[in-house]
Amino acid sequence: MDIFKRLGWFFRREKKSYMIGIFSLVTVALLQLIPPRIIGIVVDEIETNSITSQSLTFWLGILAASAVGQYVFRYIWRMRIWGNAAKLEQLVREQLYNHFTSMDSQFFQKYRAGDLMAHATNDLRGLRMVAGGGILTMADAISVGLTTLLAMIFLVDWRLTLLAVFPLPLLAITSRILGRKLHLRFKDAQASFSQLNDKVQESIQGVKVLKTFGQEKEDIEEFKIQTDNVVAKNRLVYKIDSLFDPAITLIMGVSYFLTILVGGILITGNEITIGDFVTFINYIGMLVWPMFAIGRLFNIIERGSASYDRIENLLREESSIVERDGSIETPINGNLDFDIKKFSYPDDETVTLQNVHFKLNKGHTMGLVGKTGAGKTTILKLLLREYDAYKGHIQYGGHDIRDYTLNALLQQVGYVPQDNYLFSTTIRDNIRFADPTMPQSVVEEAAKLADIHEDILNLPNGYDTQVGERGVSLSGGQKQRISIARAIITNPELMILDDSLSAVDAKTEESILSGLKRKRRNQTTIIAAHRISSVMHAEEIIVVEQGTIVERGTHKELLELDGWYKDMYQQQQLEQKLEGEDI
Amino acid sequence: MEQQETIKNKTMPFKQQMHVLKRILKYAHPYRFQFAFAIGLSIVLAIINAILPRIIQVFIDDHITPGAATLSTIIFFASLHFGVTLIRMVVWYFELYIFNMASEKTVKNIRESLYTKLHSLGMRFFDQTSTGWIITRATNDTEAMKDFWNVFLTIMQGVFGVVISLGAMFFLDASVAIWILLFAPVLLLVIRFYQVYSSKTYIEMKSKLSSLNTKLAETINGMSIIQQFRQERRLQKEFEETNQSYYDSRYSMVRINAILLSPVINFLYTLAVVLILAIFGVNALQSPVEVGIIYAFTSYANDFFRPLTRLMDSLSLFQDGIISSSRILTVMDNEEYVPEQEDNPDATIEIGKIEFKDVSFSYDGKTDVLKNINFTVNPGETVALVGHTGSGKSSIINVLMRFYDFQSGEVLIDGRSIKEYPMRELRQKTGLVLQDSFLFYGTIKDNIRIKNDQIKDGEIIKAAKFVQADQFIEDLPGQYDAKVVERGASFSSGQKQLISFASTIVRDPKILILDEATANIDTETEALIQEGLNRMRKGRTTVAIAHRLSTIRDADQILVLDNGRIIERGSHDELIASGGKYKDMYELQNIGLQLS
């Protein structure tokens, strides 16, 4: 019941709506009592021959009126209560979404995308059940249960009522117990299904390997083991699931048995009329649902509150990246001074960066090379303020980057990440991601600089071509160039290419780099790369190894140094030529 | 893919729906007796439901009203009612259980058929179809079939309930029952209305939910970009709109349900009660009427209307089921099979001589990606394929592995057409090492054995030693039994390569096909890989897409490919001597070295 308190903010917000809804529910509960009673009365009048056309018309009139009334109030409560449930789902989904967008990268490492999606779908559904089904069940069970019970006692006979409803609490208990058991077994079944999912996913992704080794038959056998497992787990589910209706039948059967027995005796003793008896039997039928629903209510609440726990946990997480009070709002400008004494990722003891120091003057280009995992991307992440906790400082134009507002810093940085993530929209909107109001001419200019304009024109719908999951599939090189265009378009003070030319050929790389050089004569650029050719024209190149700088200088100086850089350069020259790109 | 999209957004014509239904029902055929039994039980159930009010009616009319009820008759009727209820309980349980199990097994049947079908399809299918699409067909669409079969049960229960309660009313009093029949056209109208309006809104709601979730997933995946570009506000606003439009369509769904679903059924039921009371009441004005029959009639009216709410509610699931079925069937209908072999059981690969004679090949049947390719690889020799992306290197491997069928010319192994070898023989004797090594969930052993249980542990260790993968494997906790998580995420790409070498070598293929990785691997493993490649090549006929200098220089023959043709061929020394393109690039690279 705690969940209702925790969702209090929402119930208060929709107070009026819930009050109307619950009022309608109670009204329906009362109106529902009319038909059985009128059936009983008419039966009695017929039985005692006291029926007149007048009385018949009267009773039928009331009955018809109750039908109309029920319809109207049922409509109202459904709209209110189910509508509110949808509203709650919408609100919390929005809260979650807005919260996600304000979280730092640490958050997204802690919770994997799949988990977050699960919270935003399954847990929201659980919550909707509480606000809809939960409220409905509670209000309904109480109002229908209570009014029907009272009607049975006062309109028919209290002794009969006491005896006949005696087995009914069993309904609540049964539905609670069965519901719990079912839930556990259902979870097992779900787990077996997700195992099957994993299996299919892996085999389809690795289908080439399976074909290579000719192991299709064996793989099908393995799949069959999984489907058998799914069937076995679901068998356990059905064993319980199929019990619900029969269990209700049994308990109701006991009630009917008692009703016929005691009712029969009471009629013969002239204590109640036949009409009362008929009314009573109909009333008992009406009690099934509320009693059963009480049991279900507990399960809904249990699951809903677990869901809300998980959602609240997510909402409680805080980003470690915060803007300080009185942050500088003027956009970054000037020279970059990067001086990190020591940096470790949160919850990780290994030192990722140590004594990395470089100065980059406005208008210069710096190259960053080194093996995978040497720390290149980490350096860039610190520049982008993905992590704030380090020893040392990073200054831009003489001020610590942590003293700028995020807008002042990030809007002036054009970052092209390693994984070229494009959104499911048109190519145009992907390029002008930073500002969807930019005109086509600006988009085209950026595309031309990134050497992707021609490629785009060759696509079926040009700049209107949809990309991403449901759109055309682009090559890695095309995606990289679109990401470059996306970063160039804002004409950033600092441009960062994080190994973003790896999938384009040497000629294209050359043309993009020289284009950037021309366009960005007075702006700063950092290029991290595997390929030496991407950085060889930079004013300074630093070689990172195990989180620290091991070589630095211009291309010429580094070759003379005769170290890792030179080795790499020679090896790459050879291999690149042999791949025959110039043939 | 386009075809599937249209299926999703439009409702199919009735005829096509029935056609899909007929075809998907075939998968239920093995379980027809179970289904039939369950349906039989649901008829029994409907009959029992009709008997119960009769018991009370007879009790009232024959015993209570005449005032002739003794305690023993009362006990008799109460017990009779309870006894029938017990039977009802048992029948109901088995009806549900047997039907659900039959539908579960049908789903299993569909799944397995689909999966077997998938494995019979050629690489063309997998290259052209997104992995996600295939996975969804095999899992979610088949899972949706369960709800689909349940719809049938609901419909059946509904129809039996309606028919039998109507029959019982006719049995009791045909003149009154005819009046109840008046409701039938009204009901049909309501159902039709509901179906038309709800299915439209339902489809809209579902597609909005899916775009909502897509948007959410996309934001989570692209969060660093969004934050870097400071677009949080804008996307929040966009999401708000999508969220609102989903809410709107869910709200209209609530409205449609509120107008046309249970409230209207309940309304009609109460009107039916009015009608019943009116008829009996009017009759009673003229002559006495047995009152028990009134009870029975109102009770039957309840049986008549009650199942309709669920029936109508499940109509949308029926639509879902048809859509899922038709998607499953598109896979079943796919004919991009693995290239056919003219199996000759005697054909075995003994020495591993490969000949390409005038081979031309095209993926789409229009542009040839291989044009009149001729070359011979003698047993034990290595041929290196050199050329830029799109020159045809991978296509030669696709042809040689029989991933795709070639259009003209001949590919011979040991002098016999490649088409004559049974697929098993080909797969056993040719080992392909892929560029990006794929590891399966399981252990190291599992990944070397790759589902072939005939490979003994000893052979696995021997193979690992041979490619020098043993060094790092023996450092792992559990060694050869060490866990490999999804896609081998915990191993470096070099280690993954070594494991995949071992899985190739453990099968001791006569022919080795290498698709060398271009990505730079850390220097330490690079040396091991180089050495592993050399060892593997020894004594095997090798065709390699080569990126490593050592592989190229050691090759007995280098084929320089350009635009689907072999433009130069010979050994490294010969090519240098002949002064062609190969020499040009070799020189270029030497000059580059001298400059530095």
Side-chain angles (χ1 to χ4, degrees):
Chain A
M1 292 297 152
D2 183 43
I3 180 83
F4 288 122
K5 215 194 270 166
R6 278 157 64 203
L7 283 173
W9 62 270
F10 180 74
F11 296 132
R12 274 192 294 279
R13 187 179 182 274
E14 302 293 331
K15 194 162 63 186
K16 203 177 129 207
S17 191
Y18 270 113
M19 268 159 53
I20 295 174
I22 289 170
F23 171 76
S24 307
L25 261 178
V26 175
T27 311
V28 169
L30 290 170
L31 290 174
Q32 267 181 342
L33 297 175
I34 296 173
R37 188 61 209 142
I38 289 183
I39 295 172
I41 292 170
V42 173
V43 162
D44 277 347
E45 287 191 354
I46 291 175
E47 161 75 10
T48 56
N49 263 326
S50 61
I51 192 161
T52 63
S53 57
Q54 222 172 358
S55 75
L56 184 64
T57 320
F58 175 71
W59 293 123
L60 291 183
I62 293 181
L63 193 57
S66 96
V68 175
Q70 279 190 57
Y71 181 79
V72 171
F73 285 103
R74 271 177 214 272
Y75 171 80
I76 296 175
W77 78 246
R78 277 185 155 254
M79 290 306 289
R80 292 296 171 172
I81 289 182
W82 291 118
N84 280 348
K87 188 95 214 158
L88 176 68
E89 187 190 0
Q90 183 200 14
L91 280 176
V92 178
R93 184 184 288 119
E94 196 177 305
Q95 278 178 17
L96 273 176
Y97 186 90
N98 292 350
H99 186 68
F100 289 164
T101 57
S102 70
M103 283 294 104
D104 56 1
S105 43
Q106 229 174 308
F107 176 85
F108 292 101
Q109 257 147 36
K110 187 166 161 192
Y111 302 98
R112 293 173 47 194
D115 298 339
L116 294 178
M117 278 309 290
H119 292 310
T121 50
N122 300 340
D123 284 339
L124 282 182
R125 199 180 315 127
L127 213 52
R128 188 176 75 214
M129 289 305 291
V130 172
I135 290 284
L136 164 68
T137 316
M138 198 165 73
D140 204 30
I142 293 170
S143 60
V144 176
L146 227 64
T147 51
T148 312
L149 215 59
L150 290 176
M152 284 164 107
I153 292 172
F154 291 109
L155 297 179
V156 185
D157 188 272
W158 66 272
R159 289 159 299 179
L160 183 58
T161 307
L162 275 189
L163 273 170
V165 301
F166 179 68
L168 294 186
L170 276 177
L171 276 176
I173 295 168
T174 312
S175 86
R176 168 91 170 126
I177 293 172
L178 285 183
R180 244 193 191 164
K181 247 195 186 138
L182 182 69
H183 184 58
L184 288 179
R185 293 190 175 187
F186 188 66
K187 260 165 100 180
D188 275 355
Q190 284 291 94
S192 72
F193 178 63
S194 76
Q195 265 174 27
L196 179 90
N197 253 326
D198 292 344
K199 162 85 200 152
V200 174
Q201 187 151 354
E202 192 180 67
S203 292
I204 300 297
Q205 280 171 350
V207 73
K208 202 162 190 176
V209 179
L210 293 174
K211 280 198 184 299
T212 297
F213 290 115
Q215 300 292 350
E216 291 97 335
K217 252 186 214 139
E218 290 76 2
D219 190 55
I220 292 172
E221 285 312 310
E222 279 183 16
F223 181 74
K224 284 186 176 165
I225 294 173
Q226 298 283 349
T227 55
D228 281 337
N229 184 34
V230 170
V231 172
K233 290 284 152 57
N234 273 308
R235 181 187 295 278
L236 296 175
V237 169
Y238 293 133
K239 275 185 181 162
I240 296 286
D241 197 32
S242 311
L243 263 177
F244 275 85
D245 288 333
I248 299 174
T249 303
L250 177 68
I251 295 163
M252 292 310 296
V254 177
S255 258
Y256 278 113
F257 174 79
L258 291 169
T259 305
I260 297 171
L261 189 70
V262 180
I265 294 168
L266 289 175
I267 297 174
T268 45
N270 277 327
E271 306 247 4
I272 60 169
T273 65
I274 296 177
D276 289 339
F277 181 67
V278 172
T279 306
F280 192 85
I281 287 188
N282 279 321
Y283 280 157
I284 284 198
M286 282 167 55
L287 275 178
V288 178
W289 154 246
M291 288 313 281
F292 197 68
I294 287 180
R296 244 179 52 138
L297 176 69
F298 283 104
N299 299 319
I300 290 177
I301 285 177
E302 213 167 67
R303 275 171 241 170
S305 90
S307 286
Y308 200 47
D309 279 346
R310 287 189 288 265
I311 290 173
E312 279 191 320
N313 271 338
L314 284 181
L315 290 175
R316 257 198 297 273
E317 295 273 354
E318 278 175 19
S319 172
S320 64
I321 309 295
V322 278
E323 290 181 346
R324 293 176 182 170
D325 289 336
S327 290
I328 306 164
E329 283 176 36
T330 31
I332 53 161
N333 192 5
N335 300 336
L336 170 67
D337 179 11
F338 189 99
D339 189 2
I340 294 296
K341 306 266 186 275
K342 203 170 141 192
F343 171 72
S344 299
Y345 279 103
D347 307 318
D348 189 0
E349 279 171 22
T350 48
V351 177
T352 312
L353 290 183
Q354 195 157 23
N355 293 325
V356 177
H357 180 215
F358 60 85
K359 278 197 169 126
L360 184 57
N361 291 337
K362 185 177 165 72
H364 281 194
T365 297
M366 188 187 83
L368 199 53
V369 290
K371 279 195 262 183
T372 313
K376 295 181 306 239
T377 299
T378 309
I379 293 176
L380 303 178
K381 278 185 177 168
L382 295 187
L383 265 172
L384 291 166
R385 273 198 77 183
E386 283 196 19
Y387 298 92
D388 264 357
Y390 44 77
K391 273 197 196 116
H393 66 257
I394 305 170
Q395 288 183 338
Y396 219 108
H399 299 283
D400 196 298
I401 58 167
R402 289 170 289 192
D403 288 335
Y404 285 96
T405 61
L406 286 170
N407 276 339
L409 173 71
L410 293 177
Q411 282 179 349
Q412 289 305 316
V413 181
Y415 178 58
V416 187
Q418 252 171 24
D419 48 337
N420 322 280
Y421 191 82
L422 297 184
F423 293 89
S424 305
T425 173
T426 59
I427 293 199
R428 181 182 301 107
D429 282 346
N430 264 295
I431 293 179
R432 58 180 186 189
F433 184 70
D435 179 5
T437 61
M438 285 178 172
Q440 174 69 11
S441 56
V442 177
V443 174
E444 271 180 34
E445 196 195 340
K448 279 177 190 156
L449 263 172
D451 208 10
I452 184 74
H453 178 67
E454 298 295 324
D455 288 55
I456 296 173
L457 292 184
N458 282 329
L459 290 171
N461 295 315
Y463 279 90
D464 288 313
T465 307
Q466 290 277 332
V467 293
E469 246 171 81
R470 289 195 186 156
V472 297
S473 53
L474 299 169
S475 74
Q478 288 173 324
K479 281 194 213 159
Q480 283 190 338
R481 282 176 283 156
I482 292 176
S483 313
I484 292 172
R486 175 171 69 189
I488 295 179
I489 203 166
T490 59
N491 195 20
E493 179 62 30
L494 172 66
M495 175 126 178
I496 299 175
L497 302 177
D498 187 0
D499 202 17
S500 10
L501 292 162
S502 58
V504 300
D505 57 49
K507 226 188 270 169
T508 317
E509 178 185 44
E510 175 73 32
S511 109
I512 294 173
L513 288 176
S514 62
L516 281 182
K517 198 144 195 141
R518 225 179 321 116
K519 175 104 199 288
R520 302 176 48 75
R521 210 166 294 137
N522 295 317
Q523 287 151 323
T524 316
T525 306
I526 298 178
I527 303 173
H530 269 291
R531 224 194 269 163
I532 303 287
S533 56
S534 305
V535 300
M536 53 196 271
H537 301 295
E539 272 88 3
E540 185 180 34
I541 300 163
I542 59 179
V543 179
V544 198
E545 202 179 303
Q546 290 186 328
T548 196
I549 297 176
V550 289
E551 293 172 30
R552 67 196 308 160
T554 61
H555 180 64
K556 205 159 167 259
E557 287 164 0
L558 283 170
L559 288 183
E560 277 161 12
L561 209 64
D562 203 10
W564 184 88
Y565 184 86
K566 190 187 170 190
D567 283 352
M568 255 339 251
Y569 182 62
Q570 288 184 344
Q571 198 186 328
Q572 287 180 9
Q573 284 279 300
L574 252 63
E575 278 172 5
Q576 196 184 321
K577 297 296 181 202
L578 280 179
E579 221 174 291
E581 261 162 359
D582 291 325
I583 297 177
Chain B
M1 293 280 269
E2 272 165 37
Q3 199 191 341
Q4 280 89 36
E5 289 304 310
T6 50
I7 288 173
K8 201 164 136 195
N9 294 326
K10 271 189 222 151
T11 41
M12 256 182 269
F14 183 72
K15 228 178 171 176
Q16 201 185 338
Q17 287 193 15
M18 286 304 115
H19 181 67
V20 168
L21 183 62
K22 221 169 102 189
R23 289 190 56 198
I24 208 79
L25 275 175
K26 285 206 180 104
Y27 293 94
H29 195 253
Y31 314 105
R32 60 191 180 283
F33 294 118
Q34 283 184 55
F35 277 117
F37 189 53
I39 291 166
L41 287 178
S42 78
I43 296 177
V44 173
L45 194 62
I47 293 173
I48 293 176
N49 285 345
I51 290 174
L52 284 170
R54 271 290 277 175
I55 294 174
I56 293 178
Q57 183 241 326
V58 171
F59 175 61
I60 293 174
D61 286 341
D62 296 357
H63 301 274
I64 299 275
T65 316
T70 59
L71 185 62
S72 64
T73 46
I74 293 172
I75 292 176
F76 170 76
F77 274 97
S79 311
L80 181 65
H81 194 274
F82 188 66
V84 176
T85 304
L86 284 182
I87 298 171
R88 179 176 187 243
M89 180 184 93
V90 175
V91 171
W92 204 344
Y93 181 79
F94 284 105
E95 180 215 13
L96 292 174
Y97 179 71
I98 292 169
F99 190 91
N100 278 326
M101 280 317 289
S103 87
E104 184 70 36
K105 284 180 189 157
T106 308
V107 169
K108 174 180 143 83
N109 186 17
I110 294 174
R111 261 187 197 139
E112 289 176 356
S113 311
L114 184 77
Y115 200 73
T116 311
K117 170 78 190 189
L118 282 175
H119 268 311
S120 74
L121 294 174
M123 269 324 280
R124 183 190 299 277
F125 173 76
F126 293 99
D127 285 342
Q128 284 175 348
T129 320
S130 89
T131 332
W133 191 86
I134 302 174
I135 294 166
T136 314
R137 299 298 81 80
T139 55
N140 292 349
D141 278 334
T142 50
E143 186 72 7
M145 298 310 291
K146 273 186 215 172
D147 286 336
F148 190 51
W149 301 124
N150 250 313
V151 172
F152 286 109
L153 183 64
T154 310
I155 292 176
M156 227 95 75
Q157 284 173 336
V159 170
F160 294 147
V162 166
V163 169
I164 289 176
S165 58
L166 207 60
M169 285 190 255
F170 269 97
F171 180 75
L172 275 180
D173 192 331
S175 61
V176 183
I178 281 181
W179 284 99
I180 299 291
L181 259 184
L182 280 180
F183 282 90
V186 181
L187 275 174
L188 286 178
L189 212 64
V190 169
I191 292 173
R192 181 75 195 135
F193 258 129
Y194 180 74
Q195 205 221 350
V196 169
Y197 288 105
S198 77
S199 69
K200 215 175 99 203
T201 313
Y202 182 75
I203 289 172
E204 189 186 284
M205 185 176 90
K206 276 194 58 167
S207 91
K208 279 184 179 163
L209 181 63
S210 107
S211 72
L212 187 74
N213 284 332
T214 312
K215 217 164 201 147
L216 186 65
E218 209 172 60
T219 306
I220 293 173
N221 290 323
M223 190 60 80
S224 60
I225 297 289
I226 293 166
Q227 291 180 338
Q228 210 284 309
F229 283 85
R230 303 293 288 155
Q231 296 301 308
E232 296 98 324
R233 273 291 149 65
R234 173 164 74 90
L235 290 179
Q236 280 170 14
K237 239 186 231 126
E238 277 180 29
F239 186 76
E240 230 166 85
E241 278 165 28
T242 319
N243 199 8
Q244 181 67 39
S245 104
Y246 168 66
Y247 169 78
D248 290 343
S249 71
R250 175 166 274 283
Y251 197 75
S252 0
M253 195 70 215
V254 169
R255 187 190 300 278
I256 290 169
N257 283 346
I259 295 176
L260 288 172
L261 206 57
S262 65
V264 82
I265 295 294
N266 201 280
F267 178 69
L268 290 174
Y269 160 71
T270 316
L271 287 189
V273 173
V274 171
L275 189 68
I276 291 166
L277 289 185
I279 295 167
F280 283 109
V282 169
N283 286 348
L285 292 174
Q286 285 125 32
S287 58
V289 168
E290 290 186 314
V291 289
I293 208 169
I294 300 178
Y295 164 76
F297 254 92
T298 54
S299 190
Y300 288 143
N302 194 18
D303 286 348
F304 181 82
F305 286 98
R306 199 184 40 207
L308 292 173
T309 308
R310 265 186 71 196
L311 193 145
M312 285 161 72
D313 203 19
S314 61
L315 285 177
S316 50
L317 293 176
F318 181 81
Q319 291 291 332
D320 282 357
I322 288 285
I323 290 166
S324 291
S325 305
S326 72
R327 290 205 200 113
I328 290 167
L329 290 173
T330 53
V331 177
M332 297 288 195
D333 290 344
N334 196 300
E335 284 175 358
E336 309 262 10
Y337 288 110
V338 170
E340 229 170 293
Q341 298 298 93
E342 307 148 9
D343 283 10
N344 181 342
D346 305 333
T348 51
I349 298 173
E350 297 296 341
I351 52 174
K353 182 181 182 191
I354 303 171
E355 287 164 276
F356 269 59
K357 287 189 174 164
D358 238 5
V359 174
S360 291
F361 167 61
S362 143
Y363 287 100
D364 55 5
K366 286 178 221 146
T367 37
D368 281 350
V369 287
L370 292 180
K371 298 162 192 161
N372 306 90
I373 298 289
N374 281 293
F375 68 87
T376 305
V377 197
N378 288 318
E381 285 187 357
T382 296
V383 62
L385 305 175
V386 173
H388 61 77
T389 322
S391 61
K393 292 176 296 187
S394 313
S395 304
I396 289 184
I397 288 185
N398 278 337
V399 166
L400 194 52
M401 285 304 292
R402 295 293 284 154
F403 286 152
Y404 286 82
D405 210 351
F406 52 94
Q407 281 81 13
S408 66
E410 264 190 298
V411 177
L412 305 176
I413 296 180
D414 290 356
R416 205 191 265 270
S417 166
I418 194 170
K419 295 181 183 175
E420 284 180 37
Y421 293 98
M423 203 50 115
R424 228 180 175 151
E425 174 69 11
L426 269 182
R427 294 293 182 239
Q428 264 167 17
K429 297 288 169 67
T430 47
L432 167 68
V433 180
L434 289 166
Q435 201 175 55
D436 43 349
S437 346
F438 187 93
L439 295 192
F440 291 90
Y441 182 87
T443 63
I444 296 272
K445 261 188 213 161
D446 294 341
N447 272 289
I448 295 178
R449 180 179 280 141
I450 308 200
K451 304 179 199 283
N452 186 346
D453 290 333
Q454 276 157 15
I455 295 171
K456 309 247 166 14
D457 284 6
E459 297 172 63
I460 288 174
I461 294 168
K462 219 176 99 191
K465 284 214 161 85
F466 183 78
V467 299
Q468 302 186 65
D470 57 327
Q471 298 169 9
F472 88 88
I473 293 174
E474 275 161 20
D475 284 342
L476 296 170
Q479 300 193 337
Y480 287 88
D481 289 314
K483 277 258 170 287
V484 177
V485 296
E486 262 171 55
R487 308 215 61 182
S490 57
F491 297 102
S492 76
S493 54
Q495 290 171 331
K496 283 192 268 187
Q497 276 270 315
L498 289 178
I499 295 174
S500 89
F501 285 179
S503 67
T504 302
I505 228 62
V506 81
R507 289 165 164 79
D508 194 19
K510 280 269 170 297
I511 298 169
L512 191 64
I513 301 176
L514 295 176
D515 188 358
E516 279 189 350
T518 34
N520 284 309
I521 288 162
D522 48 305
T523 23
E524 297 94 272
T525 0
E526 176 62 33
L528 290 179
I529 286 170
Q530 203 114 272
E531 173 66 18
L533 286 171
N534 287 338
R535 288 189 184 186
M536 283 174 17
R537 287 214 314 268
K538 216 152 275 163
R540 294 194 173 86
T541 314
T542 307
V543 177
I545 294 182
H547 297 297
R548 283 184 181 71
L549 262 183
S550 62
T551 316
I552 297 172
R553 249 185 253 174
D554 292 353
D556 300 283
Q557 194 180 188
I558 298 165
L559 302 179
V560 183
L561 284 155
D562 183 39
N563 206 11
R565 290 178 203 284
I566 298 176
I567 53 165
E568 274 173 40
R569 65 174 81 211
S571 70
H572 176 74
D573 294 336
E574 285 165 7
L575 286 177
I576 293 292
S578 72
K581 299 252 173 170
Y582 184 82
K583 193 189 171 205
D584 283 354
M585 41 193 224
Y586 195 75
E587 303 259 281
L588 262 172
Q589 130 220 324
N590 273 337
I591 294 164
L593 286 181
Q594 276 157 20
L595 265 180
S596 62

